[in-house]
Each structure stands twice: as structure tokens, then as C-alpha cells.
Amino acid sequence: MADPAYFSLRKMLLDEITPVVMVLPTPLVEQRCQKNGLSFVQMLTPFSVFNNIDVPVRTASDQPYRLQKFKLRMFYASDIRQPNIEVTKKRLEQVIADAGNNEDSELYLDPSSLEARSTSSEPEFVPTWFQHFNKELVRSVSFSDHEAFDHPVACLLVVSSNDEDPISKFVDLFNKNQLPPLLNDGAMDPKIPKYYVLVHDNQDGSPERATKILAEMRNTFGSNDCRLLCINSSQGQLVDHQPNPWDPYGSNASPGQHLGCLLNNEDMDELRNFVRDLSSKDIIPNMEQRIRVLNQQVSATRKGFRNQIKNLWWRKGKEDTPEVQSVNMYTFNSIESQIRVLGDYAFMLRDYELALSNYRLLSTDYKLDKAWKRYAGVQEMMGLTYFMLNQSKKDAEYCMENAFTTYLRIGTSGKGNATRCGLWWVEMLKTSSQYKDAAGVYFRISGEVMEPLHSAVMLEQASYCYLLAKPSMLRKYGFHLILSGDLYNKCDQIKHAIRAYRNALSVFKGTTWSHIHDHVHYQIGKWYAFLGRFDVAMKHMLEILACSHQSNATQELFMRDFFQILEKTGKTYNISRLQLPIVNISSLSIVSEDHRTYGSPAAVSVKESVWQSLEEEMVPSLSNAKTTWLDLQSKLLPTKLKQSNVCVAGEALKVEISFRNPLQLSIPIYNVTLMCEYSENETPPDANSSSSVNQGDEDGKKATGRESNSDTSLFTLSKVDITLEGGETTVAQLSVIPRKEGLLRVTGVSWKLSDSMVGFYTFDPDLITKKLSKQKRKAKQNANKLEFLVIKSLPRLEGAINNLPSTVYAGNLHRLSLELRNSSEIPVKNLKMKISHPRFLNIGNPEVLDVNFPSCLEKKQSYAHKDADFDVTKQSETVFHFPKDVVINNGTPFLLPLWFRAATPGNVSLYLTIYYEIEDKSTTMRYRTLRTNHMLEVLPSLDVSFFINPSSSRLQEYVVRMDIINRTSLRNFKLHQLSSVGNEWKISLIESLNHIFPSGILVPGQALTCFLKLKNVKTSETDTETDVWLGDVSNEAVFDTQRAPLVNFHHYERLHQKTAHQENQSTVDFMLISRMEESENVPSDVPTPPQIFSHHACHCSVSTKRPIWWLLDGPRVNHYSFSNSFCETKLKMTIHNSSSFVASVRINTFDSPPGGSPSGNKIGWHDMSTPPSLDDATGGRKLLESVPPFIWSGSSTTRVKLEPNATTEISLLVTTFAPGTYDLSNYTLNWNLLDSSDSEEKEGVCYGRPFYLTILGEE
């Protein structure tokens, strides 16, 4: 037969379902055995297990086989009873507690990885004490009345040779008062084989007395059933057995006592032979004989067709009876009990076929009798028998399932047996690698039949089954570990709870299951703190700081316990990448000023390309190929420092990094500062001097800026305190100022969460992106972005625009000043400046700083200061060069006037860069630039628009409609003047503004429309009437629009408003000047008057869709006597070509209106009460209802050719035959543009305008 101990379940069954021997010793026997620290049963136990007993056995059908592995279980008679529930519970708790204490050292080691566990065999990572615990659970339901494998198969009566009257002692030992309840209650056959053992202590005397007593025993009880056992043969010297056979079984020996110290090798051999002979010569043969006898009885009474019918008839009608509860119904002599004994004996002697046949027979009887506990027990043994036969795995699992559910259905009395059945079922499933199903059984055991502590052990075992499943079920593994740990915690088994939770961490690490991740770390931290291991507790509490997903109450709980544990540690922790607050490394911005300096933090955030576009005409390195300080630097520096970034000693290296509070709570952080390293021996040489570092010092001088006592002579660190509200992100502005030349490295940032908790974040240079220019980036592709070469101190120019408003209305004009300071003793020279938006800023002359504003703009003072300001129209529009004699020295500010005008509404960024050179020739850096950025909010003020139409009564004259709307919500405007820029156009009001706009103040939301006359005078004289006064006081001075800064701003407005198609058109520019009035509702932060506004409308076209203009002129009233002849009237038509092409014009005259019907008109005088019609909006005309007769006397068709912008005159003659009023509009002008582009209209027809001629007769 195959070795059944190969699998773990088979090993367990060979240990637990084996013959039981009842032992009844006298007290003197126990005393002699206790000399060795052992009881009599303990002394025999190591020799009761046989791996090769080799005993021949025959089955009931006389088939021979040999037993190889065999075991006897020896119990005192007092122990053969069902265990007490409370005692069993305490013993199991002690097993668990001892296991926790034994594994105490493992609680502080990192658990093995999931990969290692899932690929290893089960015993490598499953706690070894699980097997011991499971065995104790199985033994907790021993000696049940419905099972026979725990019934003793033999009884040992043990008497000492020193007992008085040993024979009587043997008789008295088998007293009913000392027998187990199973024997007294009739559940077990009291006629069990008895064996009489005489124990002789060789230290108490010679063996002759023992030999004599043995002879007397054999005469009384029979020679085959009596034994002599001699012990304690060691004389004077204690025996130390290595290995000690009693160690695995435990004992009640006192600490330090050697087990079996008086038993020599002869005693050991005698004990071994005693148990072997008892097993092979007595117990096994007696069991074999008992099987034969019982099998014959069962065959005679229950087997065969007749006996089966008889049994069924006898049990008929028992389906309606309640479950059998009485033990007396199935006494030891009942056929059911004998069948059970037969099956269990056959199982213990490995005759599994015989055992299975009897279990099947018995299962039907118990089911019919509704003896459910006995039925479940038989089903359990059937499942185990199927397993031992290695047959029908499906039947085995079915029987175990049936037994388990039946035990549960019984109630409390069956829970213990259900647990044992479940444990055996689990091992059965593990044997076939059905770990998933095994985990399910563990879970059922824990939930239905167990105490909370026992359930914790079952859940933990279930978790390991999920891990061993193929594929591994990691989520269930972690989930069951958490359930197990929670139950351990409720049962005060903290160490086991820690172990379960720590093993679960490997599942949740790196997942998005943040809530359970926080729960696990929080509980582990609290439990370690409870055990006094605060250092390990802090490690786990640090993992839950950034719990943004938790509720406000949970976050408060976490933080309170965190600081409590931190306080109990009594240590100061320096934690790398502390999660509170969270450092946003992507927001890291490092600003080092080399030749580029910045006037404000806003200037740093501007793209480098913007500054390059401004500086390309000023900076030598960008405008020519000459040698620059960058090239010079690469020649002077050591090779290993050529790739370094550069900063200047004494100037702050600024770092901005954002901190985010992931919690909903407010948290303060203290002493936020940079971490820096400084190496002085890396100092580069100057251009004309040697290095200041002592080259003989090989190590040089180094300092680290993370410690609070860092050397301030090398660099100075700023420290800030920040309070972060819930969910807030704050940018910390930090700086380090190097004091000496050398190499500075920014290694990270540190902060204090409390006095005992310091967090720091070390920057990874490969992940940092520093703002470098494109040229520098190419030159420093391999540079460490956090490493800076510190060069010696240089002058640094600081600049500010005084009184520059942050909020202003569109068109507002201010006079400002640019103030430049140099704090260094080294002067700077050759200054140049460029402005990004000349529409907003213009440069003034330093001579006008003391001139009053706005009176300096008036015409009465214009000639005195005509050349005071710079006229940008006559100078470069790109770079402004400061006067050559301007040198800015230490402590002396330089002021430069600026003119500011808010050109357009919206948010505007003004960029201004200043280039300056350093007079000190010894520095490697020869020039620097100052970059400033100013943010403005420009609010809408006045919307001004112009519409120009040609005059119908005058050539080269136009009617201008000006529309003004006040777009502000609070401010009033007073109109000052309207000017046509230049000397080509004369402008005047058609109607006085006082008539249509008497108040003179434009309130918020108000609109104004007025009409003006515009005439092209084509003169360069300065006294042309180009200005129109719009105010209500005529004695106020008019502003001079021909001088700076108005003319400069207008120049840039013309450039801005210019479009391509306006290049060849005739245009006019307007400038509206107004003042802002005071208002009671104006907020205090809005600038107050007096303020001047200028609004510019450029390139207003005076051309129309029709390129041909004409004017018919002549007498309007004529007196004539028709008695002599008809009346002839001479007229003149002036034609002008306003296009840029040659025009061909044909004039056609008609005696009647073209397209009209002469017969429909009346002859003679007509009613003048209805005024004649004028040209309609489309350029056509409406005919009068009656037209007196007249004719055109000259040629009916005249053709002329006009050059571009040319004018000609044509004479016409009209003849009338009667007095009356005549409409001379019946003519057309057909025009055609020669050589015009396809995109323009090339030809067209113009209809005559109404011209009324009145003829009065003379008497």
C-alpha cells in the first residue's frame, strides 16, 4: 500500500485516529517517574510512535498486509473524558499567546514580499504554530460518545515495586470510581484487555523484590499479561540525552531540570521494547481479533437481503420522531455501536475497505433514526476513508460537506465537531491544491462555529490559502488578513494583530485603495506605540499624514495621535520627503542672476524669448560675433566648471517652491529654508588675478546649509514660517546669498512640522528644469541645474518707475520718472534701454522734469520747449541710448522722465530692459541687463468713432460725424479739444457744441454725436485751424498736438492702426483730448483728477465708393422776356477724379428725365408747395410729377479724361421756353477707371443731383 503519511492530512490522521491505551498508575509510580521530570505517560510517549513496526495483519477477508507506521495514544483514566469547554478555551488562548511571544522578534522585521510568498511552498511563510493550534482544536472534541476511535483498546494497570501489597493494588486500580464516564455510562465496552505493569526503581533497591512480585503477579493474572519495567538505573551521575526525546512533547519539569536524567541507555531500550512488545504482541493482535468477531456478528445480523429488509421494517415510521438525544439508546452492545467500533478499528489498522463498508451501512441507520450527530460523525469518517483510499475525491468532499453542514444544524453541541471536520476538510482540499475552496471552508468555520479569537486564526489561515491559489487572489488575501487582525485586536492579541496587518501592507502598497491603506498604517502605529516601540510606530504614522481623502474628523484623529506618539518618543526625527506638507517639485523655480538681473518677481516668470527679442539689439552676445564674457568665462574657468551655472557673490539666489496642504485642517510649518552645500576650493580665477583659494589645501573649505549653525560667512539662508489652510497651496519664496567665491549647490528644502519633526526634500538634479536662455541651454546641456559657480561681487542696477498706476483708464496721460540706483562702489556706464510697448511708454528729456503738467502741453508754451522732449519720429524706434556722460555711481540715483499713456483697455504687461556696462575691467562679466515687468489693468473710458462723407455743395470739403460714448461706470468726462493731426486739414464745427451739449460733461453711459466740417487745405503753414475747442470756457489754452509726447504717442498709434489697403488712400488723423471730472462715487484706489486723456483715430479715409465728384454751378434765378425769343442760361460743371487711376468720364444730357415718360408730365407752371425731391440713400433720384419744357442746347454727350486727383470744368447751356422752375437733374455721368486692379470697381453711372433753375418773365 502507498505510504499514507505522505500528505499532511494523512500525517494528521495517523497522529489523531490511533488506538488509545488507558493508564491507571499508583501514586508511587508517579513519584518514581517524576525524578526524571516526567509522568509515567510522558515517559512512554516518545516510544509510542513507530515508523517501522513491521507487524503482519490480515483483513477480515484474510488478505495479509504489514503495518509499518503505528502509534499508541496513552491517557490517564482521569483524562479520558470530554474536555471542559472553558479549560479548552484557556488552553487555546495560551497557545496563541505563546506563539505571539515566540515570534516577538519577527514583529520588527520587514515581511517578505508577495512575489516571494506566492512562489514559495506553504510551510515557508505560514506560521508554524498554526498546526499546533489546529491539533488542539481537533483534540478539544476528543472522547465523544458517538465515536469509537477514542475509546481505549487496552488498559495498563501500573504498580510500583515499593507499593504495599502490589497484588491488591492491581485489583483496586480498576475500580469503577476511577474509570472514565464512557465506561460507567455504557457507551464503551468495559471488557477491555488489561495489562499489569510492575515498575521498579533501581535506586530504591535490588531487583530481587521486583522479580518476586512479578512471579506472584503472573500466578494471579496470567503470565502473558504481566510486565516488569525497571527505571532510574543511572548511578550517581545525571544523564544528558542529546537529542532529548521528550522535548517535543513537553513536560511539567521545573526549569533547569534535565528530562530523563536518571534513565540510562538500558532504561531507554527497556522502555522502547516495552511499548513495542505491547503494541505488536498484544494490542494489534487483540484489535485484529476483535475486528474478526465483530465482522462475523455484523454479517450475521445486518448483511444480506433478509437482514436489510428486517432492519428497514424495524426502523419504519421513525421519520417523524425527533432527533435521538439519549446515549442509552446506543449502548456498547447495540448493533449500531458494534458497527461503529468495527469501522473505527478497521480504520486504525488501515483496512479502509472494511471501514468504508461499515460506515456506509451505519450511515443509513443513523439517518433513519435521525441521530444527526452520529450520522455526521459517520459521514466525516466516510470522507476521510475515501481520502485514505485515494479514491473518488468528489465523494470524499461530498461526505465532508454533508458532515460539516449536519454538525452545524445540530447547534451548539455540534460546533466543536464541525470545527474538526472543517479542518480535516481543509487539509483534504490542500492536498489537491484547491486553495481557493480551502479558504472558503476556513471562512465558514470562522463565521459559524468559532470564538472571536479562534476565528481570527481561521481567517489568517484562509488568507494564506488565497495567496497560494493559482492565480493568487491578492485582494482576498489582504482583506482576510485585515479581518483577522481586527479580531486579534479585539481579543487583546496585539502582536498577532500587528503581524496580520503588516503582511497585508504588501497588498495595498502602490494601489489606489487609500482608505484601507491609511487604516492599516494607523492601526499598526497605534499597536506598536501600545507595545512601547515608538520608533517603529512613527514609521507607520508618517504614512498617514497626507490623508486628503479622509473626513475632517478622521484627519483630526490621525494628527492628534501622530503628535502624541511623536511626543512620547522623545526624539527629533529628520524625515526625507515628509508627506505633510506635500512638496510640488514641478513648481520649483530657481532664479540666479548672472548678466541678467530682474527688477521684480514678475519679470522672472516672463519667457526668455520675450527678453531676447528686446535685448537682441543691445546685448553684444546676441547682436554680433565678437568675444563676450561668456566666451571669456569658458577660457578662464577650469574644465570641470565650464558647465556650471553662474551667480554673483552677495546677490540672492532665489528659489520658489510650492507647498500643498492635503488636509482639511490648518497646519503651520516653521523654519522653511533651503539646504545648500558650499565648496570654496572650486573658486575660478579672475581675469587679471589668481585664485584667492589656497591651493595647498587639498580639501578646501566646505559647508552644508541644512544645519542651523551653518557658516554664515560662506552663505546666508532665509527662513520663513507658513500657515497652510485646508487644501491650500502656498508658494514659499526662499533665498540663499553666497558670500564668497566658490561652488554652491542647492540640495533641497527643509521645514519643521514641530520641534521634534523635521522634514526635508532632496532635489534630484535630473528632474529640475531651470530657466535658461536658449544659448545657455545649448552650452550647458550637461550642467547640473542645482550647481552654481559663485563669482566675485559685481555692481547691480536697481530700477523703478515712480508713480506708475496699477489701474488706469484708457487714454489717460501721465508723466512719470524712471529711477535707477547702483548700490555698488563700481560705476556703470553706456546705458541703453528698450520698451516693449511704446504705445504706453515714451521717454522724455531730463530737462523737463520740473515743468508743470499738463500746462507744458499747451500751445502758448510750446515754442519755449519745442525741442525739450525727444521726438521719436526723428529717432530710432528700437533702442534708446542714454547720454554718453551718464554714469551711475554708488548712492546717487539717476532720474529719467517717462511719458505714460494707457493705449488700450485690458490687462497689459509692460516689459522694459536696460543694458549697462561695468567699468571694472578685471571682472569676467563685462555687462549686465536689468529686466522689469509691470502689470497694468486698463479700464475703458471713451469710445470715439468718426464717419466722413463728402460735401454735396463743395468740392474738397467733407462732413464729419463724431460719436462719443462714455464707457465708464463712475467717472464724468469734460471734452477739451478735437484736432486734426498735421497741417493738411482744416476742421470746424458745423453747429456750436453749446447748443447741442450745453452741460459740457459726459456722464457715465452717455453718448454724444456732433458734426464737423473738414477741408483739405494742402499747406505746411503752422497757423492752420487744425484744432476745435469743445469746452464751455473759450479762454482755456489749447494743447499742442504737434509736440511730444502727444505727437510721439500719435506716431505709435498710426503704426498700430495702419492696415495694408489704406496705404494709397487719402486719410485724416484725429486726436480727441478730454479731462476727467471728479465724482463722489469714485473709490479711493482710483486715480483722482486733474487727468488728461487723449484718444487717437488714425487713417480715417475721406474717399467714397464713387471715385468721381462733380458740382453743377450757375445762376439759380433768371429774369427774361419771352416776347422776343426763348431764354438761354449758361451753366458750369466741375468734375474731380479722387481715385489713384486715370478716369474716363462721359456726360449725357436728356431733354426729359432718363427712363421717364414725357407725356405724363404737365406743361408750364407747376405747384411749388411740394418741395422737390432730393437724392435718396442709394444715390438715385426721384422725379418730379411735372417738369416744364426745356432743352440742353449744347452737345448731348461730352467725354473727358482725368488724371488721378485731377479736376476739370465743362460749360453747359440750357434753353427754356416759358417762365417756371426747372429741375436740371436729367443728366448722367458714366465713368470708367483705366488700369485699375480687378479687386476694385472699374466703372459706374452717377445720376444728376437736383439743380433748380427759376425763370421769371419780364413785363
Side-chain angles (χ1 to χ4, degrees), residues 292-396:
R292 290 180 179 276
V293 173
L294 290 175
N295 186 50
Q296 292 177 1
Q297 295 178 0
V298 171
S299 299
T301 58
R302 294 297 307 277
K303 293 183 180 179
F305 180 75
R306 178 182 177 183
N307 290 332
Q308 292 179 9
I309 296 299
K310 182 179 178 181
N311 180 63
L312 292 174
W313 181 264
W314 179 74
R315 298 180 187 277
K316 185 179 180 181
K318 288 191 176 183
E319 291 82 357
D320 300 330
T321 61
E323 179 186 354
V324 175
Q325 300 292 343
S326 176
V327 177
N328 297 327
M329 179 178 179
Y330 299 106
T331 58
F332 68 91
N333 55 4
S334 65
I335 187 61
E336 292 85 1
S337 296
Q338 292 178 1
I339 296 175
R340 179 61 195 251
V341 171
L342 174 59
D344 288 349
Y345 274 36
F347 189 94
M348 288 187 287
L349 292 185
R350 322 291 165 71
D351 190 355
Y352 298 118
E353 295 288 352
L354 178 62
L356 182 61
S357 64
N358 285 279
Y359 288 146
R360 286 174 175 169
L361 183 65
L362 192 58
S363 175
T364 304
D365 293 346
Y366 285 148
K367 187 175 183 179
L368 292 175
D369 291 346
K370 296 185 179 180
W372 298 119
K373 188 173 184 179
R374 294 176 179 270
Y375 169 76
V378 173
Q379 287 289 315
E380 183 180 4
M381 292 306 298
M382 287 176 62
L384 297 178
T385 307
Y386 276 121
F387 173 77
M388 298 300 287
L389 286 171
N390 201 15
Q391 298 176 0
S392 185
K393 182 177 67 174
K394 182 177 180 180
D395 290 340

Side-chain angles (χ1 to χ4, degrees), residues 440-654:
V441 176
Y442 273 131
F443 187 79
R444 292 177 64 182
I445 296 173
S446 68
E448 299 181 10
V449 300
M450 302 296 290
E451 295 291 331
L453 181 58
H454 305 165
S455 296
V457 182
M458 294 297 111
L459 288 171
E460 188 175 4
Q461 295 186 78
S463 67
Y464 293 121
C465 289
Y466 283 121
L467 181 61
L468 291 170
K470 300 298 180 182
S472 298
M473 306 176 72
L474 298 182
R475 287 187 295 179
K476 287 184 178 292
Y477 165 70
F479 177 70
H480 283 75
L481 281 175
I482 297 301
L483 293 178
S484 172
D486 187 57
L487 288 176
Y488 279 135
N489 176 47
K490 292 179 179 178
C491 299
D492 297 328
Q493 296 292 334
I494 303 300
K495 294 180 180 179
H496 289 291
I498 292 176
R499 186 192 67 254
Y501 268 55
R502 288 173 76 246
N503 289 334
L505 274 179
S506 56
V507 178
F508 308 121
K509 184 178 181 180
T511 65
T512 57
W513 305 333
S514 52
H515 284 82
I516 194 169
H517 177 271
D518 292 346
H519 168 75
V520 173
H521 278 292
Y522 174 69
Q523 292 296 340
I524 294 177
K526 285 188 61 178
W527 293 333
Y528 272 124
F530 176 80
L531 297 178
R533 295 302 301 268
F534 299 108
D535 52 343
V536 187
M538 282 304 302
K539 178 181 177 182
H540 291 277
M541 296 301 289
L542 287 170
E543 297 291 333
I544 62 172
L545 291 183
C547 51
S548 57
H549 45 275
Q550 299 287 358
S551 64
N552 195 358
T554 304
Q555 292 176 5
E556 290 180 353
L557 174 66
F558 285 177
M559 294 303 296
R560 182 177 66 250
D561 291 345
F562 169 78
F563 285 111
Q564 287 178 354
I565 295 175
L566 178 62
E567 183 180 358
K568 293 178 180 178
T569 61
K571 300 179 181 179
T572 298
Y573 290 88
N574 293 282
I575 305 300
S576 176
R577 300 201 175 190
L578 183 65
Q579 298 183 18
L580 194 64
I582 295 177
V583 178
N584 183 10
I585 192 63
S586 62
S587 68
L588 179 64
S589 174
I590 303 178
V591 181
S592 64
E593 296 185 338
D594 39 28
H595 70 288
R596 301 159 299 181
T597 64
Y598 299 93
S600 63
V604 178
S605 60
V606 179
K607 293 182 179 180
E608 182 68 21
S609 58
V610 175
W611 297 120
Q612 285 187 4
S613 63
L614 291 175
E615 297 171 357
E616 59 185 356
E617 297 183 28
M618 296 190 300
V619 178
S621 61
L622 298 179
S623 60
N624 54 59
K626 296 180 181 180
T627 300
T628 66
W629 78 269
L630 292 172
D631 303 320
L632 183 60
Q633 174 191 0
S634 64
K635 297 176 182 178
L636 297 176
L637 297 181
T639 304
K640 61 181 180 179
L641 299 180
K642 289 181 180 180
Q643 300 299 326
S644 299
N645 304 310
V646 177
C647 63
V648 180
E651 296 183 9
L653 178 67
K654 300 177 182 179

Side-chain angles (χ1 to χ4, degrees), residues 976-993:
H976 186 83
Q977 74 181 60
L978 176 67
S979 301
S980 62
V981 182
N983 298 320
E984 296 184 4
W985 300 92
K986 178 181 178 181
I987 188 170
S988 61
L989 285 170
I990 295 178
E991 184 179 4
S992 175
L993 199 62

Side-chain angles (χ1 to χ4, degrees), residues 1185-1250:
E1185 294 184 358
S1186 66
V1187 179
F1190 67 91
I1191 60 173
W1192 294 93
S1193 303
S1195 174
S1196 61
T1197 301
T1198 303
R1199 186 183 299 272
V1200 294
K1201 181 180 288 186
L1202 293 176
E1203 296 297 324
N1205 294 318
T1207 304
T1208 187
E1209 294 182 355
I1210 299 174
S1211 299
L1212 297 176
L1213 183 65
V1214 63
T1215 302
T1216 56
F1217 300 98
T1221 299
Y1222 302 89
D1223 181 7
L1224 306 182
S1225 61
N1226 50 350
Y1227 61 89
T1228 60
L1229 281 77
N1230 297 74
W1231 53 269
N1232 181 26
L1233 298 181
L1234 307 179
D1235 301 327
S1236 65
S1237 61
D1238 296 336
S1239 61
E1240 297 183 2
E1241 191 175 1
K1242 299 179 62 175
E1243 60 184 15
V1245 178
C1246 298
Y1247 294 95
R1249 299 191 185 97

Side-chain angles (χ1 to χ4, degrees), residues 190-209:
K191 297 180 180 180
I192 58 175
K194 302 177 185 63
Y195 301 97
Y196 305 92
V197 181
L198 179 64
V199 175
H200 175 67
D201 186 350
N202 286 328
Q203 292 184 347
D204 290 342
S206 63
E208 285 79 8
R209 173 176 168 79

